[in-house]
Amino acid sequence: MSLLLYDPFTSMFDDAFDRTPFFRNEQLMPRAAGWKPSGMRSHEDDKNYVFQVDLPGVKADDLKMKLDDTHRGHTVIHLSGGRQFQSKDGTSFETSSFERQFSIGSNVDKEKIGADLKDGVLTITVPKKEPEKTLPKYIPITSGAAKAAE
């Protein structure tokens, strides 16, 4: 018999957000065997989308977060990082890294996205903004017969 790692959050997140224009979940992609963050929570209020990622033992200096506007027309937040542990006797190190991506919609203020690491929990705050209201542009339709008569 073998044991499989069950991650109920990944399934729930996929089902809840994959069909929305705001966020698209992609699996945690470990670059190396070993540790990977397993806990993530998200919620929404009137002003923000908020993600919380459990990152015990990870320092803020070991994390990178960037926005990428070139991902097939979507804006993507890339979160990556790693951690290193030394054995108790000081003779060996374990190093693990991870990457996580979030696709965000157009109703967010990209300039005000923030992240704060406190007590092993990274909180990413994505402020909402009102969608730009554009009026429809009407295009005149000409008749081929009217043009021929000129």
Side-chain angles (χ1 to χ4, degrees):
M1 179 173 105
S2 63
L3 296 176
L4 298 175
L5 176 65
Y6 175 66
D7 186 358
F9 179 78
T10 301
S11 299
M12 176 194 70
F13 192 81
D14 284 343
D15 293 341
F17 291 103
D18 267 356
R19 294 178 195 94
T20 69
F22 305 116
F23 301 99
R24 178 153 294 143
N25 179 42
E26 294 186 17
Q27 293 287 340
L28 284 171
M29 298 175 289
R31 293 184 193 149
W35 171 86
K36 63 181 178 179
S38 59
M40 187 176 143
R41 294 161 303 286
S42 64
H43 67 273
E44 172 182 355
D45 59 30
D46 292 341
K47 297 182 179 183
N48 300 298
Y49 298 103
V50 179
F51 294 101
Q52 292 180 308
V53 183
D54 294 335
L55 298 169
V58 178
K59 299 173 189 157
D61 291 342
D62 296 332
L63 294 171
K64 290 183 184 174
M65 193 168 84
K66 66 179 180 174
L67 284 177
D68 181 4
D69 287 328
T70 62
H71 190 71
R72 291 185 240 152
H74 296 280
T75 300
V76 177
I77 296 175
H78 292 272
L79 172 65
S80 61
R83 69 179 189 177
Q84 184 176 15
F85 284 102
Q86 185 175 5
S87 65
K88 289 183 180 182
D89 62 5
T91 60
S92 64
F93 287 92
E94 176 189 328
T95 303
S96 297
S97 59
F98 70 93
E99 182 176 329
R100 180 77 188 207
Q101 299 178 7
F102 308 92
S103 179
I104 58 175
S106 59
N107 69 327
V108 299
D109 189 345
K110 294 185 233 177
E111 301 301 318
K112 295 183 181 176
I113 294 173
D116 181 53
L117 181 65
K118 182 178 180 182
D119 297 329
V121 177
L122 177 67
T123 301
I124 303 168
T125 304
V126 182
K128 295 179 183 179
K129 72 175 183 178
E130 289 294 320
E132 294 178 11
K133 295 181 181 181
T134 58
L135 297 174
K137 179 181 178 182
Y138 292 95
I139 301 169
I141 301 172
T142 59
S143 169
K147 201 169 196 174
E150 292 177 359

